Amino acid sequence: MSEKMGNQVVEARTERTKWYCDARFGMFIHWGLYSIPARGEWVRSTERMPKEEYDQFFDEFTTENYDPKEWARLAKKAGMKYAVLTAKHHDGFCLYDTALTDFKSTNAPCKRDLVREFLDAFRAEGIRVGLYFSIIDWRHPDFPHYGDKFHPMRDNEDFKGKEHDFDRYLTYMHGQVKELLTNYGHLDLMWFDFSYGPMNCEKWKASELIEMVRSIQPHIVIDNRLEGSAENAGSIRTLNPTAYSGDFASPEQMVPPEGIRDEAGNPIPWEACITLNNNWGYAAHDYHYKSAKMVIHMLVECVSKNGNLILNVGPNAKGEIPVESVEILEEVGTWMKQNGRSIYGCGLSEFPKPEWGRFTQNGKKLYAHVMEEQAGAICLEKMAGMVDHMRLLKDGSEVKETFFWNLKEYAENAFFFFDTHSSDCYPLPDEHDTVVEITLK
């Protein structure tokens, strides 16, 4: 690809992702037949479960308590600005009314187009909508079985030597993507998953796939998982990314140490996808939940590095988001209602990370996220003379700039206390993360 074409790809990406980089916080939802065995969404692969054994769950998928309006209200209350649902995961089961397979929710006992209901409910709450779509499919007869890295039958001798028509599979897979793009209205985001080993890039006819996607919904924001390894030529981290490298990088279960940049050091959009407990799909015995405080700290860390956080919940077989997840998200939502201005539209600060927490910034508004109690004043290192005024973000109350008696030694710094009658910053006004909005001169 020429440098000019590479620049055009980057410019188009920047335009498409404006809303996305302002939104900063999203909800991921992994839901499907795997919620019945309740051992995570990879259960068929990890347990090398035969098709016949897995198919029995199809007859039990009733979803009797699925209320996407309730999900949407929760996401909105948590302060999430976009949401992504698994339209189809690796097991091949579709939560929508596809014409290309009978393995779909409209044929299951629930008889519902779960994707359509999800989209309608979240749009009604003003939340942008996206769909996750697995480009692999363990149920399709033409997807490689024996010898594949992840297929449930990867080491089953009965499938050794079996012929697969992979082009026929690709026609099927591309056709399903086209259905989602043409039958379900305006989508804001498409989350493809995933490439591995030799199964990457043009193995999926990725250029052709993205050309089709862009021809139908040119505005749509796409992740980078068609490209596979970041070392591949034309990856999103290069100066000449391919069209199928997508619009944002998608690190999983971690926040990158310094955000993500291309090889010239330019920031690129990215999103940390992280689970609320230890599994993506519902796992009945997984009670290892992250606290609301930890979620807030992860979110702030992502934003402080020019990134997003998409936080996953895994509803159970009945369609209920676990009560533990609900309680955590509601607690996060209380903090977001008071402090969301330090998240939405914000990004990397011009100032280095402080020892007591993090900075996010939006123009002349600098947000000090104080996460650690201090024995003395909060130090704004090398910011003397830069502060116009400060306010506690949660209630708008004045925070006064102060100076130490030994001013000469620390004259380059600015300081503040939360309480002018105190000589320390303990305890914090908000133990989750106390945010001070600093208006710079």
Side-chain angles (χ1 to χ4, degrees):
M1 181 187 293
S2 69
E3 183 177 346
K4 182 178 180 181
M5 289 179 64
N7 288 338
Q8 290 174 342
V9 170
V10 172
E11 288 172 6
R13 180 181 76 198
T14 300
E15 183 63 29
R16 280 193 297 270
T17 57
K18 281 181 178 177
W19 72 263
Y20 174 82
C21 292
D22 283 342
R24 291 305 188 203
F25 193 24
M27 175 182 275
F28 222 159
I29 306 166
H30 277 64
W31 191 38
L33 294 187
Y34 42 80
S35 63
I36 299 175
R39 297 187 293 277
E41 76 291 348
W42 276 69
V43 61
R44 207 192 146 199
S45 175
T46 56
E47 299 182 12
R48 284 143 166 95
M49 193 180 293
K51 170 181 173 292
E52 294 74 21
E53 183 180 341
Y54 192 73
D55 279 1
Q56 68 179 327
F57 301 125
F58 180 87
D59 297 323
E60 299 178 51
F61 199 59
T62 57
T63 73
E64 61 261 38
N65 293 337
Y66 173 49
D67 182 357
K69 293 179 181 178
E70 189 174 308
W71 291 8
R73 285 192 292 268
L74 175 63
K76 187 172 184 177
K77 189 173 184 179
M80 293 158 159
K81 294 294 187 182
Y82 62 103
V84 177
L85 173 69
T86 50
K88 187 201 79 169
H89 209 270
H90 311 330
D91 61 354
F93 179 67
C94 300
L95 301 188
Y96 66 102
D97 191 19
T98 172
L100 301 177
T101 180
D102 293 332
F103 199 51
K104 57 184 179 178
S105 61
T106 50
N107 282 355
C110 66
K111 303 293 183 186
R112 299 169 72 174
D113 188 325
L114 305 170
V115 163
R116 188 174 299 282
E117 292 183 42
F118 158 80
L119 295 173
D120 289 345
F122 278 73
R123 286 169 179 151
E125 291 292 347
I127 298 172
R128 289 184 180 262
V129 290
L131 296 175
Y132 166 109
F133 182 87
S134 174
I135 55 178
I136 69 177
D137 191 320
W138 297 328
R139 197 172 190 277
H140 197 282
D142 286 311
F143 192 87
H145 288 39
Y146 187 84
D148 179 73
K149 189 175 182 179
F150 300 114
H151 198 284
M153 300 295 103
R154 56 190 173 274
D155 49 15
N156 187 321
E157 294 285 336
D158 291 344
F159 292 88
K160 190 174 184 178
K162 181 178 173 63
E163 295 293 324
H164 303 282
D165 186 342
F166 195 66
D167 280 339
R168 186 161 57 194
Y169 169 70
L170 291 179
T171 299
Y172 169 82
M173 186 266 280
H174 285 218
Q176 287 198 316
V177 174
K178 187 173 183 179
E179 287 180 321
L180 291 171
L181 294 166
T182 55
N183 297 341
Y184 291 88
H186 179 104
L187 300 176
D188 297 290
L189 194 150
M190 199 77 193
W191 222 102
F192 291 113
D193 197 25
F194 72 107
S195 297
Y196 56 97
M199 307 288 279
N200 66 66
C201 304
E202 294 300 356
K203 180 72 174 179
W204 308 113
K205 294 187 178 178
S207 295
E208 182 180 320
L209 177 63
I210 295 304
E211 184 179 356
M212 180 262 288
V213 171
R214 297 284 183 219
S215 70
I216 300 171
Q217 300 210 29
H219 61 274
I220 203 167
V221 174
I222 301 172
D223 71 325
N224 69 323
R225 294 201 174 185
L226 289 169
E227 69 178 20
S229 171
E231 284 71 46
N232 287 341
S235 90
I236 196 170
R237 296 173 185 256
T238 68
L239 296 179
N240 293 296
T242 63
Y244 59 74
S245 294
D247 300 308
F248 66 93
S250 54
E252 184 169 327
Q253 298 290 45
M254 59 92 72
V255 179
E258 296 180 357
I260 299 180
R261 297 176 180 270
D262 65 23
E263 56 195 9
N266 303 306
I268 60 176
W270 63 271
E271 170 187 272
C273 52
I274 296 178
T275 54
L276 197 47
N277 53 5
N278 274 338
N279 287 270
W280 296 95
Y282 181 68
H285 303 290
D286 180 1
Y287 297 106
H288 195 71
Y289 285 93
K290 298 169 180 67
S291 67
K293 182 177 180 178
M294 185 176 184
V295 170
I296 291 165
H297 285 200
M298 287 192 305
L299 174 58
V300 172
E301 182 180 358
C302 288
V303 177
S304 76
K305 297 174 179 179
N306 269 339
N308 289 21
L309 172 65
I310 187 167
L311 188 67
N312 181 75
V313 296
N316 63 27
K318 293 182 177 181
E320 302 161 332
I321 294 176
V323 63
E324 296 89 348
S325 298
V326 172
E327 291 172 352
I328 293 164
L329 291 180
E330 287 180 342
E331 190 174 337
V332 171
T334 298
W335 184 90
M336 285 292 288
K337 186 176 181 179
Q338 297 171 335
N339 299 287
R341 203 157 71 215
S342 68
I343 300 297
Y344 308 129
C346 292
L348 179 70
S349 169
E350 63 190 272
F351 301 96
K353 180 189 177 302
E355 291 188 356
W356 38 257
R358 294 187 178 275
F359 285 130
T360 59
Q361 190 167 353
N362 186 351
K364 288 191 174 184
K365 297 293 186 181
L366 177 68
Y367 296 96
H369 295 263
V370 184
M371 300 173 180
E372 294 184 16
E373 297 160 334
Q374 300 293 293
I378 303 296
C379 178
L380 301 174
E381 192 173 357
K382 297 182 180 179
M383 289 181 60
M386 295 184 180
V387 176
D388 185 80
H389 62 272
M390 295 182 283
R391 300 289 182 264
L392 194 65
L393 187 56
K394 68 181 294 183
D395 61 10
S397 59
E398 182 183 29
V399 175
K400 299 187 74 171
E401 187 174 0
T402 189
F403 302 94
F404 272 59
W405 61 270
N406 47 352
L407 177 62
K408 190 172 183 180
E409 186 175 352
Y410 300 107
E412 64 183 359
N413 304 318
F415 299 88
F416 66 82
F417 291 106
F418 294 114
D419 182 353
T420 55
H421 301 289
S422 175
S423 61
D424 60 25
C425 288
Y426 173 86
L428 296 179
D430 187 333
E431 65 175 359
H432 294 86
D433 171 13
T434 300
V435 187
V436 174
E437 182 181 69
I438 302 170
T439 302
L440 301 170
K441 288 182 180 178

